[in-house]
Every structure is written in structure tokens, then in C-alpha cells.
Amino acid sequence: VSFVFAGEGDALEALLSAAAGAGAKARWLDREVPYHHPELLAAAAEPFRLALGRLGFRPAARPVVSTIPAEGAQPHPWLSSPDAIRDFVARNLVTPIAWDGVVRGLVGAGVTTVFECGPGTTLSRLGRLVEADLRHVTVRDLARSAA
């Protein structure tokens, strides 16, 4: 299980020290925007939702797996309708994610390979901690193989 915490630098340093003292693996992720934090981006959530409402979303050609657990039988729903995706994107800004549940849900659905399309490798690294047999391909991997 992995967790990501956001907050003031001194409090995070204390948390890292406490985690290390308890034998946990912990490290600082250098991020400038505290995505997924309910308090730090609370003021941005509603303007962001309104801006999303002005964008033209289409039904997804491939479903989007929500990182926000849902109540009921499907803990991480697969989204395809424009309204569901728009709502997810808005809520995702200020809702802690449960990445381990997403990865387990993908494996449970028979997925064997995932592609991380952003510039980094964080999700792939975290995913390997959850399910070591799931193949992760990143943009960096593709760039290296093309060179």
C-alpha cells in the first residue's frame, strides 16, 4: 500500500522522519501543485468544474478508470460518458486517489500491460509495487526504444 501526502514542508519532513523511524519506505516527491489534496486546492475546485463544463467532452473510445473509489460492487468504476468523465476530472483535483485499487482492478479485468502517457514514471513505479507482474510502458521507454 502506498500513500501520498501534501502539506507544509516542515510537517512533511516530520512525517518522513517518523515513517523512516517506523521502518517504512518514504521519500519526497518533488511536485509544485498538490493535486488530489482536499484542502490545498479546495478554492480551485469549483472554478475548475465550471471551466470543464465549457469544454466539449465526447464519449470515451476506451473507458477511463476512475482513481476515486465508488460505493457498491465496483470500487473503481470504468467511465465512458462525457458527464461521468467531466465529473471525475473535477473531483479528481481534490480527492485523494487509491492507486493500489486501480492497479488491482486493472489486473482483475485481465489487463496485462498499461501505458503511462505523462512525462514521468511515478504511476508505473507505484504500480509495480502493487502488482509486479503487470507490464508498465512509459513515454520514456518508448522514446528510448525509438532512438
Side-chain angles (χ1 to χ4, degrees):
V1 177
S2 64
F3 297 94
V4 176
F5 296 92
E8 298 294 326
D10 291 343
L12 292 174
E13 291 292 347
L15 178 65
L16 285 173
S17 295
K25 292 182 182 179
R27 68 185 196 107
W28 187 274
L29 295 175
D30 187 21
R31 300 291 177 262
E32 294 183 19
V33 179
Y35 291 113
H36 316 298
H37 195 287
E39 293 179 19
L40 297 178
L41 291 178
E46 190 55 29
F48 187 58
R49 181 181 298 281
L50 293 172
L52 289 172
R54 294 189 295 270
L55 299 177
F57 281 71
R58 295 181 299 194
R62 301 287 182 270
V64 174
V65 180
S66 175
T67 58
I68 303 169
E71 295 182 28
Q74 194 175 22
H76 291 273
W78 295 57
L79 313 171
S80 58
S81 78
D83 288 340
I85 294 170
R86 187 181 296 111
D87 180 64
F88 161 68
V89 171
R91 290 178 49 220
N92 191 48
L93 184 66
V94 293
T95 304
I97 63 170
W99 188 242
D100 56 330
V102 172
V103 173
R104 286 188 183 97
L106 291 170
V107 170
V111 173
T112 59
T113 303
V114 294
F115 293 85
E116 183 168 356
C117 297
T121 60
T122 300
L123 297 178
S124 294
R125 284 191 324 240
L126 293 174
R128 286 183 190 104
L129 294 174
V130 177
E131 292 285 346
D133 293 335
L134 183 62
R135 180 174 174 240
H136 295 267
V137 178
T138 68
V139 171
R140 288 182 186 172
D141 296 333
L142 296 173
R144 270 189 243 129
S145 67

